[in-house]
Amino acid sequence: MARTIVVTGAASGIGQALAALLTRRGEHVVAVDVTSGDVVADLSTRRGRDDAVEGVLDETGGRIDAVVANAGLALPVRETVAVNHFGAVDLLTGLRPALAASSRAPRAVVTSSMATLLPVHAPLVEACLAGDEDRALALAAELEAAGPQAAATIYPSSKRALSRWVRRVAPLPAWAGAGIPLNAVAPGVVRTPMTAAMTATAGGRAALDAVVPMPLGGYLEAGQVAVLLAWLVSEENTHVCGQTVHVDGGSDVLLRGDDVWSWHDVDPGTLSPRTGVATTHVPVAT
């Protein structure tokens, strides 16, 4: 029996590729987009998000097995924050009760970005995480008005906030406790209508490559990201929780280096003189 999977941003790019892939696999896809689909809604507004949740519940009779919050903007404008962060968070929050009621492997995933690794505007990130949309949009508007360099932080700020939200709530009772794996993917540069102008010229590609190095395979096609999203919402994914999975051709590795574990390094003074092992430890549940 087919599972019912909601995909936002399904009219183009990654969302369109994912909807096609899931349909070929026999799943029932509910396509949500601002232009066309089973549910037409504008996720840049609170009313639009309410309409999206209501439309999905009406379309499915309240029976949902997975949600892919993929819709997004990559423009240096305030609406990018509204769609990328609040659009995803509000949609997932609104549909979470229906997911929790599913008996067919409920799953949720968002499309973030490798841009989470780029410079951000910290107050904007914090406003997003605080759920203060009015302040977040006001800050984004100030950045937009300040010129291209400041405005360039809007997109990575929205995506970093989204990945941090996923990490913050995924292990909580409402998600992991309800048996719902919640995760994110972080693509590198994907060939979509949204990036067409940037990848069309040698100069644009050189500028992109300087910021987003992708030594493995170069730029992605939308279908390559779709495969990862499809697995994260599949029944096979039972224990991936709160992760932002990079599908970026190596950008994360090059930008962050080989050590992302030392946050938990112990003070040398706590090491046992006999074994060199930390004398304190975090207990592991069995």
Side-chain angles (χ1 to χ4, degrees), residues 129-215:
L129 288 170
D132 190 342
E133 185 170 3
D134 291 338
R135 174 164 169 74
L137 294 182
L139 288 169
E142 292 175 6
L143 293 169
E144 183 181 351
Q149 186 171 353
T153 64
I154 294 174
Y155 176 73
S157 297
S158 70
K159 292 297 191 179
R160 187 178 297 187
L162 183 59
S163 278
R164 285 185 59 186
W165 177 81
V166 167
R167 194 168 180 85
R168 179 176 291 183
V169 306
L172 298 181
W175 292 96
I180 309 170
L182 170 64
N183 294 284
V185 301
V189 179
V190 184
R191 295 185 186 275
T192 67
M194 196 161 58
T195 62
M198 292 183 284
T199 60
T201 66
R205 292 190 294 273
L208 271 179
D209 295 347
V211 177
V212 188
M214 298 178 65

Side-chain angles (χ1 to χ4, degrees), residues 68-79:
V68 181
N70 167 74
L73 294 174
L75 302 173
V77 297
R78 67 193 292 274
E79 288 78 14

